[in-house]
Amino acid sequence: MASVARLHILQQSSSVLNLKPSSIASEFHLQSNSSSLFCNPNLLRNNSRVRKLHLTPSLCSNSNFTPENASASGPSGSIVGDLLDYLNESWTQFHATAEAKRQLVAAGFHLLSENDDWELKPGGRYFFTRNMSCLVAFAIGEKYSVGNGFHVIAAHTDSPCLKLKPKSALSKSNYLMVNVQTYGGGLWHTWFDRDLSVAGKVIVRAGDGSFQQKLVKIKRPLLRVPTLAIHLDRTVNKDGFKPNLETHLNPLLATKHDDASLDIKDKNNSSHHPLLMQILSDELGCQADNIANIELNICDTQPSCLGGANNEFIFSGRLDNLASSFCALRALVDACGPKDLSDEHAIRMVALFDNEEVGSVSMQGAGAPTMFQAMKRIIDSFANQYIRESIIERAIRRSFLVSADMAHGVHPNFMDKHEEHHRPELQKGLVIKHNANQRYATSGTTAFLFKEVGKIHSLPTQDFVVRNDMGCGSTIGPILASGVGIRTVDCGIPQLSMHSVREICGKEDIDIAYNHFKAFYRTFSSVDRKLNAD
């Protein structure tokens, strides 16, 4: 969908024309299958030219793709088409991080390692990854001095899904099935009768005895969780569909067959079906016996696309929270050119964490000190190994965090589930989240500052408060805010069908969020200076 617009952009950037994802993300050993990248037969005839221009699979993100709707991503400057590409690449938190890494390298950011010394300089742009599922990127203002603040947007890369158990091989009634566990609070009934597959991270044994971590994605429909026929469950429409998550949610892989043709030495001593391991090895281009470990998600194979009568919606899985992640990442890249940083005294940062959907308590989650350790290392780098008393604390006090996570748009069929005066609508801008019990980290001051940024740039905002008689979700905002006392606002793009296998948000809200985040980076310093506060 964004392919026409992207061709125009790429033709203006010779540095991007020669950049291939496989060369950029070498750390992740990204695998691709050129024969499955494109859905349009006419494009296949010019495959070599298209690969040079690095068109991503958005070309087939809508089965109704035609030249007439090729510009459906909106007016010049819209990032919606690029978001669709990002979503279609990012089936898992690992793939989302790898794609973010590719885009940062393409934009001129330098990859750091947490295991090495950092040599930083004013005007520099840097990033590092952790566990292949967490990423922190930052750009240092040309006028930065030790003790100045950090302007951060934080989001998360994970989404509710099904994951393979360590021993996934399961057989019932002559079917080969996959044993799964639920990750996060998903709407699990939406995973039934979907065309599913697997993607994630594997560890492969190399010929020299070393081990490599590689990403894998089986793009074709491989699995399915079938519902029970209504003839065998006559009361389902009256009593509701209430599957047992341990016994009813295991996907079908195949019917049992002879494994003699499979290239696996020990077919009887595997935690996973030999057939599944053979499929993975074929995709990775290795021997099945060399796959030492797998960490795989179950994924919906239906591509992300535009929808609605006017193409005003985005239909996709994993909008929560990859939409926020992409808008934040793109805003940082586009707000951190050399001219943007020439008069900046602060440090602009994006932090994308894993495991938010299960509480953030992991080494790659927001509960770990990843972001604040990075802040300290940056300050150390410019302090010439001498840290004056309380300089880190003062830097944190001057900092500001935007916790970006998707918000609950009002559902037209369930309006009573929203507080009467706080019903966020799609296409009306970012939602500021408030909760007196601190399930969100927004305060009156932080809400004012973030809204003021939007007001300067004529960007709309909305407010959300959960009903007093309903429970309230939470975000990484309170975790990060309470960790070191950084000022924080919780906000999000409104959506419907949150935590479904297939979610919905408004196309206009994507561009509003992107522009608001970009304005935050460029404008917050001047806004913050005008406020006198303790």
Side-chain angles (χ1 to χ4, degrees):
M1 293 182 191
S3 303
V4 174
R6 185 171 297 98
L7 279 169
H8 177 71
I9 294 170
L10 288 174
Q11 287 166 353
Q12 301 178 32
S13 175
S14 60
S15 63
V16 178
L17 289 178
N18 297 317
L19 208 53
K20 295 182 180 180
S22 59
S23 64
I24 298 167
S26 58
E27 176 190 354
F28 295 100
H29 303 284
L30 296 182
Q31 303 297 311
S32 65
N33 185 345
S34 58
S35 64
S36 63
L37 281 177
F38 305 102
C39 290
N40 190 325
N42 295 324
L43 288 171
L44 286 173
R45 299 189 186 99
N46 300 308
N47 191 16
S48 59
R49 179 174 179 270
V50 172
R51 287 182 64 82
K52 181 180 180 182
L53 290 175
H54 176 51
L55 294 186
T56 53
S58 67
L59 289 173
C60 56
S61 62
N62 189 333
S63 58
N64 298 318
F65 175 79
T66 64
E68 289 75 22
N69 67 24
S71 61
S73 60
S76 176
S78 174
I79 67 165
V80 170
D82 295 326
L83 170 65
L84 293 176
D85 288 351
Y86 181 74
L87 292 167
N88 284 321
E89 287 290 334
S90 305
W91 280 18
T92 72
Q93 68 275 33
F94 306 117
H95 290 82
T97 303
E99 178 60 16
K101 175 184 177 180
R102 186 195 67 77
Q103 294 188 20
L104 287 168
V105 172
F109 282 67
H110 299 283
L111 176 62
L112 303 172
S113 171
E114 289 189 280
N115 298 324
D116 298 334
D117 290 333
W118 292 357
E119 296 182 6
L120 311 177
K121 61 181 181 181
R125 298 175 296 168
Y126 309 92
F127 75 99
F128 66 89
T129 64
R130 177 180 287 192
N131 188 54
M132 298 172 69
S133 62
C134 167
L135 179 147
V136 175
F138 55 94
I140 303 168
E142 291 278 4
K143 296 184 178 180
Y144 171 77
S145 60
V146 174
N148 290 355
F150 294 78
H151 300 159
V152 188
I153 302 176
H156 64 90
T157 59
D158 62 315
S159 303
C161 65
L162 303 176
K163 290 179 176 283
L164 268 65
K165 290 182 178 178
K167 296 182 178 181
S168 72
L170 180 67
S171 298
K172 293 181 182 179
S173 299
N174 210 39
Y175 290 106
L176 298 183
M177 308 182 73
V178 178
N179 206 4
V180 297
Q181 54 184 327
T182 56
Y183 175 85
L187 290 172
W188 303 120
H189 67 274
T190 65
W191 287 74
F192 284 75
D193 294 335
R194 302 290 301 186
D195 295 346
L196 306 174
S197 192
V198 294
K201 180 173 69 173
V202 301
I203 298 177
V204 178
R205 184 183 296 104
D208 60 1
S210 63
F211 295 93
Q212 295 179 332
Q213 296 188 87
K214 296 187 176 184
L215 298 188
V216 66
K217 180 195 298 183
I218 307 300
K219 296 180 181 179
R220 67 180 177 89
L222 189 66
L223 303 166
R224 196 174 179 93
V225 186
T227 50
L228 184 63
I230 193 170
H231 314 83
L232 304 177
D233 190 8
R234 291 287 187 181
T235 63
V236 64
N237 289 327
K238 180 181 69 173
D239 298 337
F241 182 46
K242 302 173 183 178
N244 182 294
L245 300 185
E246 177 63 24
T247 59
H248 297 159
L249 202 53
N250 296 308
L252 300 180
L253 174 65
T255 53
K256 285 188 177 180
H257 69 290
D258 185 7
D259 291 339
S261 62
L262 300 180
D263 187 22
I264 298 177
K265 295 177 182 178
D266 189 356
K267 301 181 180 66
N268 299 317
N269 191 30
S270 175
S271 297
H272 310 284
H273 287 302
L275 179 59
L276 176 61
M277 300 303 291
Q278 187 68 57
I279 292 171
L280 294 174
S281 68
D282 290 344
E283 182 70 20
L284 291 166
C286 69
Q287 297 294 320
D289 294 308
N290 288 333
I291 299 178
N293 194 47
I294 63 175
E295 185 175 349
L296 300 180
N297 296 359
I298 304 295
C299 306
D300 184 20
T301 61
Q302 185 176 359
S304 305
C305 64
L306 295 182
N310 300 307
N311 277 327
E312 68 264 51
F313 300 125
I314 296 175
F315 298 160
S316 175
R318 307 174 304 283
L319 288 173
D320 179 16
N321 191 32
L322 292 184
S324 303
S325 297
F326 180 77
C327 289
L329 181 77
R330 182 64 171 269
L332 180 72
V333 168
D334 291 350
C336 291
K339 293 182 180 179
D340 291 297
L341 298 174
S342 61
D343 197 40
E344 179 61 83
H345 293 75
I347 294 174
R348 300 171 181 178
M349 179 178 283
V350 156
L352 306 180
F353 297 102
D354 193 3
N355 299 134
E356 188 276 342
E357 298 293 355
V358 292
S360 298
V361 185
S362 68
M363 62 167 282
Q364 58 272 3
T370 311
M371 187 177 79
F372 299 111
Q373 287 175 347
M375 291 177 172
K376 184 178 183 301
R377 293 188 68 172
I378 294 168
I379 294 172
D380 287 348
S381 179
F382 286 93
N384 297 319
Q385 298 181 344
Y386 174 71
I387 302 296
R388 296 193 301 274
E389 182 180 2
S390 74
I391 199 167
I392 295 175
E393 288 78 8
R394 285 191 285 119
I396 296 297
R397 286 292 299 139
R398 294 170 177 168
S399 299
F400 194 93
L401 170 69
V402 177
S403 169
D405 204 347
M406 301 297 280
H408 296 288
V410 62
H411 195 303
N413 296 333
F414 300 91
M415 292 179 62
D416 60 329
K417 294 295 184 179
H418 278 71
E419 199 277 333
E420 182 180 2
H421 303 291
H422 299 85
R423 290 173 172 167
E425 299 179 29
L426 271 60
Q427 318 288 20
K428 295 295 181 65
L430 279 171
V431 178
I432 311 299
K433 304 177 184 180
H434 306 261
N435 185 260
N437 296 308
Q438 296 300 297
R439 298 292 290 172
Y440 304 127
T442 306
S443 69
T445 301
T446 60
F448 164 77
L449 288 169
F450 193 67
K451 287 182 177 181
E452 191 67 14
V453 169
K455 185 184 297 184
I456 292 172
H457 297 270
S458 300
L459 296 166
T461 57
Q462 308 178 76
D463 292 291
F464 172 76
V465 177
V466 74
R467 288 172 55 110
N468 291 328
D469 56 359
M470 295 181 65
C472 182
S474 191
T475 68
I476 60 177
I479 296 173
L480 295 170
S482 62
V484 293
I486 187 172
R487 294 176 296 170
T488 303
V489 64
D490 264 300
C491 70
I493 300 166
Q495 72 164 101
L496 301 174
S497 303
M498 186 178 287
H499 287 196
S500 170
V501 73
R502 196 78 175 168
E503 300 172 321
I504 309 171
C505 75
K507 182 176 71 174
E508 292 180 24
D509 288 323
I510 296 300
D511 288 325
I512 294 173
Y514 158 69
N515 285 310
H516 204 137
F517 292 162
K518 187 166 60 174
F520 165 71
Y521 285 128
R522 290 176 170 168
T523 311
F524 183 79
S525 291
S526 61
V527 173
D528 196 29
R529 282 195 295 268
K530 297 177 182 179
L531 179 67
N532 294 318
D534 59 5

